[in-house]
Amino acid sequence: MAGEALAAVAAQLEGLEETIIHRIIDRAQFATNPEAYEAGTSGFTGDPPPLESLFHLRLRAQEEMDAAFGRYHVPEERPFHRDLPAARRTVSVPPSDLVISDLETINLTAMIAERWLAWLPRFCPSGSDGQYGSAVEHDVAAIQAIGRRVHFGALHVGERKYQADPERISDLAHLAAAGDREPLLDAITRREVERAIEQRVAQKTEEIQQSYTSGVRRRIDRTAVANLFLTVIIPLTKEGEIRYLIQRAGVVGA
Amino acid sequence: MAGEALAAVAAQLEGLEETIIHRIIDRAQFATNPEAYEAGTSGFTGDPPPLESLFHLRLRAQEEMDAAFGRYHVPEERPFHRDLPAARRTVSVPPSDLVISDLETINLTAMIAERWLAWLPRFCPSGSDGQYGSAVEHDVAAIQAIGRRVHFGALHVGERKYQADPERISDLAHLAAAGDREPLLDAITRREVERAIEQRVAQKTEEIQQSYTSGVRRRIDRTAVANLFLTVIIPLTKEGEIRYLIQRAGVVGA
């Protein structure tokens, strides 16, 4: 029963992989464009002009719009900003068996944004092509897709692992809260699953790009995508699981 | 020389096909969700609550944001709304050899939106899954991608065909402006190219989805995608070319 439920969650996570790959390919059609990430070079006018980079201004505008439309009522959609306007529409969220009072506990967006920007040179040609607006538009789409995968995994894989053995996980979560995180990290780590994800993502990246023969559409490196999953997306998901499990175990002060 | 330039434009158009296919696949992960397109059911509150459908509210919000960021300074990015706020940043647009004083002449967004909504049942399972916000978010991304391809083709293929034989095209454009459009339509139609696009798009759709084995990610029908190109995207591109050429030929009142 617990195994079946975990398999269902894993299948949903697998379905989010293509979206992430598509978004990386979209972003890779443009150069790294360092100007788009520098303060004071957004091209925005105003009195005074905003100091934020074009990337930050775009992410902020996107999240303000999304907040108004109710995106952040969905547990796995965690925002990169904390001071967003309230939703302007009522949104019904499907029932779940998650036990978490404050979803922000597992919000890893700051790390996702930081790692994404550090990874850009592995996907995009270095330099500037002047397409700053398109670059940051696709950045935002990419980090939203990565965030959805990380937070969905943190919440739902976390809950499945808790339900599989509540007593043992609670004990490990208390240890983790006290500073000894390794035993809990070991308990939630399945190396064979991680290797399967790594291989599958590399293969999907190859297959999705199979028809890109025109020389117009830039291809991305399958190894770079697989490494992004192995060294960024999976570790951040496990960090989210640990945070989920510490609060799930009712550790005081978590 | 003219042939080479036309081939370069065709290659750029080809590079836009994957984006359209990705966006259709993204949208197809959700049901048709008719509620998202009905007036008065957006879930938005307010006094009075807005009458527009969730789709219209989302498209409007997206375009207001995009306008502020300067998207509509790019010739092939034509908005679905005409009363958008001015850009809040300076945008540099690469030089081109287009000759057009009012880009809105070739704006076919109203038809693109109408056809897209009519086509949804061919891609999405019918009924409601409650994911209205995700559905309209992906609608907007899809029609923006289609619009970019239609307007890029209208402008750049139009200009290439004009330059290949300015006198003959001018004569046909004058005929078209007077109501006899068939000769100009014939002159800009290349059936073998259209058939090649139809086949290529079907093949790309198949290849992109090749790795979707999990049963979680919904697949779309390659024939439906090919038909969308053959019966909607290509005809609208040619309609845009005709509009471009009529004004290019300097027809009075065009």
Side-chain angles (χ1 to χ4, degrees):
Chain A
M1 187 62 189
E4 272 173 44
L6 182 58
V9 169
Q12 283 202 263
L13 280 177
E14 189 178 329
L16 297 173
E17 290 165 1
E18 278 86 352
T19 306
I20 295 174
I21 298 168
H22 290 169
R23 297 294 174 275
I24 299 173
I25 295 171
D26 287 341
R27 175 61 184 87
Q29 304 310 307
F30 304 94
T32 50
N33 286 317
E35 294 85 347
Y37 309 93
E38 283 164 19
T41 62
S42 68
F44 265 73
T45 51
D47 185 21
L51 277 179
E52 293 88 348
S53 72
L54 186 64
F55 168 75
H56 280 102
L57 289 168
R58 180 76 188 192
L59 181 57
R60 173 96 206 168
Q62 178 75 41
E63 293 215 306
E64 288 182 354
M65 175 175 71
D66 286 338
F69 280 77
R71 178 194 290 256
Y72 304 116
H73 286 291
V74 179
E76 65 266 26
E77 300 281 10
R78 304 309 337 128
F80 290 76
H81 295 89
R82 305 295 163 106
D83 55 343
L84 294 168
R88 290 176 49 212
R89 59 184 283 256
T90 52
V91 178
S92 62
V93 175
S96 80
D97 58 0
L98 300 176
V99 180
I100 179 165
S101 60
D102 179 7
L103 287 166
E104 290 306 292
T105 310
I106 57 108
N107 187 334
L108 293 162
T109 49
M111 275 191 260
I112 291 168
E114 185 195 311
R115 304 284 169 86
W116 171 255
L117 296 181
W119 270 74
L120 275 185
R122 306 196 204 185
F123 296 125
C124 304
S126 65
S128 300
D129 56 21
Q131 308 256 38
Y132 309 138
S134 297
V136 300
E137 179 184 332
H138 293 300
D139 282 327
V140 171
I143 60 179
Q144 285 188 328
I146 293 170
R148 191 176 308 126
R149 198 275 183 206
V150 165
H151 299 124
F152 186 90
L155 293 166
H156 292 280
V157 178
E159 178 60 24
R160 297 276 77 71
K161 287 179 178 169
Y162 181 85
Q163 289 192 11
D165 192 349
E167 280 190 34
R168 177 166 158 264
I169 293 288
S170 281
D171 289 347
L172 298 178
H174 278 81
L175 273 181
D180 185 9
R181 297 161 65 94
E182 286 305 315
L184 180 57
L185 186 60
D186 281 349
I188 62 171
T189 296
R190 292 182 300 164
R191 294 267 174 242
E192 73 285 5
V193 172
E194 295 180 9
R195 268 192 295 270
I197 293 172
E198 183 188 9
Q199 286 172 13
R200 187 174 63 226
V201 163
Q203 190 183 341
K204 284 182 181 177
T205 304
E206 202 64 16
E207 286 170 353
I208 288 170
Q209 299 182 107
Q210 188 179 317
S211 57
Y212 293 7
T213 51
S214 70
V216 169
R217 200 145 170 109
R218 196 171 282 129
R219 295 170 62 94
I220 56 172
D221 175 23
R222 55 187 280 163
T223 309
V225 177
N227 280 338
L228 180 74
F229 273 80
L230 197 65
T231 67
V232 177
I233 293 175
I234 292 172
L236 286 179
T237 303
K238 291 196 288 189
E239 170 63 26
E241 284 179 54
I242 290 174
R243 294 186 185 192
Y244 179 82
L245 292 170
I246 289 176
Q247 64 88 39
R248 181 68 167 93
V251 178
V252 177
Chain B
M1 186 62 188
E4 273 174 43
L6 182 57
V9 169
Q12 284 203 263
L13 280 177
E14 191 179 328
L16 297 173
E17 290 165 359
E18 278 85 355
T19 306
I20 295 174
I21 298 169
H22 290 170
R23 297 295 174 274
I24 299 173
I25 295 171
D26 287 341
R27 176 61 184 86
Q29 304 309 308
F30 303 96
T32 50
N33 286 318
E35 295 85 347
Y37 310 93
E38 283 165 18
T41 62
S42 69
F44 265 74
T45 51
D47 185 22
L51 278 179
E52 292 88 348
S53 72
L54 186 64
F55 168 75
H56 281 102
L57 289 169
R58 180 76 189 192
L59 181 57
R60 173 95 205 168
Q62 178 75 41
E63 292 214 307
E64 287 181 355
M65 175 175 70
D66 286 338
F69 280 77
R71 178 195 289 258
Y72 304 116
H73 286 291
V74 179
E76 64 267 25
E77 300 281 8
R78 306 310 336 130
F80 289 76
H81 294 90
R82 304 296 164 103
D83 55 342
L84 293 168
R88 291 176 48 212
R89 59 184 284 255
T90 52
V91 178
S92 62
V93 176
S96 81
D97 57 1
L98 300 176
V99 180
I100 180 166
S101 59
D102 179 6
L103 287 166
E104 289 305 292
T105 310
I106 56 109
N107 186 334
L108 293 162
T109 49
M111 275 191 259
I112 291 168
E114 185 194 311
R115 303 284 168 88
W116 171 255
L117 296 182
W119 271 74
L120 275 185
R122 304 196 206 186
F123 297 124
C124 303
S126 63
S128 301
D129 56 21
Q131 308 257 39
Y132 308 138
S134 297
V136 301
E137 178 183 332
H138 293 301
D139 281 328
V140 170
I143 60 179
Q144 286 187 326
I146 293 171
R148 191 176 309 126
R149 197 274 181 206
V150 164
H151 299 124
F152 186 89
L155 293 165
H156 292 280
V157 178
E159 178 60 24
R160 296 276 78 70
K161 288 181 178 168
Y162 180 85
Q163 289 192 12
D165 193 348
E167 281 190 33
R168 176 164 157 268
I169 293 289
S170 281
D171 290 345
L172 297 178
H174 277 82
L175 273 181
D180 185 10
R181 296 162 65 95
E182 286 305 315
L184 180 57
L185 186 59
D186 281 348
I188 62 173
T189 297
R190 291 182 301 165
R191 294 268 172 240
E192 73 285 5
V193 172
E194 296 180 8
R195 267 191 296 269
I197 294 172
E198 184 188 8
Q199 286 173 12
R200 186 174 64 226
V201 163
Q203 191 185 341
K204 284 181 181 176
T205 303
E206 203 64 17
E207 286 169 353
I208 288 170
Q209 299 182 105
Q210 188 180 318
S211 57
Y212 292 7
T213 51
S214 69
V216 169
R217 198 138 171 115
R218 197 171 282 129
R219 295 171 62 95
I220 56 172
D221 175 23
R222 56 187 279 163
T223 309
V225 178
N227 280 337
L228 180 74
F229 273 81
L230 197 64
T231 67
V232 177
I233 294 175
I234 292 173
L236 286 179
T237 304
K238 291 195 289 189
E239 170 64 26
E241 284 180 54
I242 289 174
R243 294 186 186 191
Y244 179 82
L245 291 170
I246 288 175
Q247 64 88 41
R248 180 71 168 91
V251 179
V252 177

